[in-house]
Amino acid sequence: MRIFINANESQQEEISLKPADTGIDFHFSRELPNTEELNNHDAFFLLEGENEQIDFNQFRFKPVIINAVSKRLSDYQLPKNVARINGWPGFLQRTIWEIAVPEKDLFKSLFQKLNWEILVVKDEPGMVTARVVCMIINEAFYALKENVSTKEEIDLAMKLGTNYPFGPFEWAGKIGIEKVFDLLSALSEHDNRCKPSFNRAGEISFA
């Protein structure tokens, strides 16, 4: 089986750490697949770039996995051979990937061949883990705004108290504060409790 993976260096490094069955040929590229690559690969992971620029009809019903955290499959109006995962920094190296899929059987077969474990979740912004992590980051900014403590102390308290690998501000820096802001903004459209306590540059909002 030949797998095409459009990824940046960080994403490639995380995926390369995941063990896969023998007989799997991974082709990593910073570019989207060309016509020859579309014909010669069995599945595609498109983890870098803007999904709005991709013509998904060219994949001819082969499995396509995109990196889409804040937006849902229904927001893109994609064909049924496209699923979404969380390709944010730090999430691709997880043992279990959360995946939102329109056709479960097509993707379960793919991941069984890869020997990668997946958890099928609802097609909603943030899925599960990213939504929880971003809510924690948001609350940490509220605590900072109220002068509860410093960023460094809040990070340390969360790591020591919950055994998290990163504190909330460390997570924000690793993920990218603009990504966190975009997800919280999407969530806040249906739940005002998710309203970001900071702007897209990571500056605390006092409004």
Side-chain angles (χ1 to χ4, degrees), residues 54-168:
I54 301 171
D55 176 13
F56 288 96
N57 293 317
Q58 66 186 328
F59 293 93
R60 302 180 182 87
F61 304 107
K62 294 179 181 180
V64 181
I65 295 90
I66 63 173
N67 170 20
V69 183
S70 298
K71 288 190 175 182
R72 303 167 296 176
L73 293 173
S74 55
D75 294 327
Y76 292 109
Q77 297 183 347
L78 300 173
K80 293 185 177 181
N81 61 310
V82 182
R84 56 183 275 256
I85 63 169
N86 180 353
W88 282 357
F91 287 83
L92 290 173
Q93 64 189 30
R94 291 170 58 87
T95 303
I96 302 175
W97 281 3
E98 296 168 15
I99 183 169
V101 297
E103 294 287 347
K104 295 181 181 180
D105 291 342
L106 176 65
F107 293 94
K108 282 187 176 180
S109 174
L110 167 63
F111 282 96
Q112 283 172 354
K113 292 175 182 177
L114 288 169
N115 198 26
W116 291 354
E117 191 171 354
I118 59 172
L119 175 66
V120 176
V121 297
K122 291 181 180 180
D123 184 27
E124 58 186 11
M127 292 177 269
V128 179
T129 307
R131 185 171 69 248
V132 172
V133 168
C134 287
M135 288 296 292
I136 292 172
I137 292 171
N138 204 30
E139 290 300 321
F141 270 94
Y142 275 120
L144 185 67
K145 176 180 177 179
E146 295 171 4
N147 295 316
V148 172
S149 193
T150 65
K151 288 183 177 181
E152 293 76 17
E153 289 174 343
I154 292 172
D155 278 342
L156 181 60
M158 288 298 293
K159 287 189 287 186
L160 294 178
T162 63
N163 201 31
Y164 285 175
F166 305 105

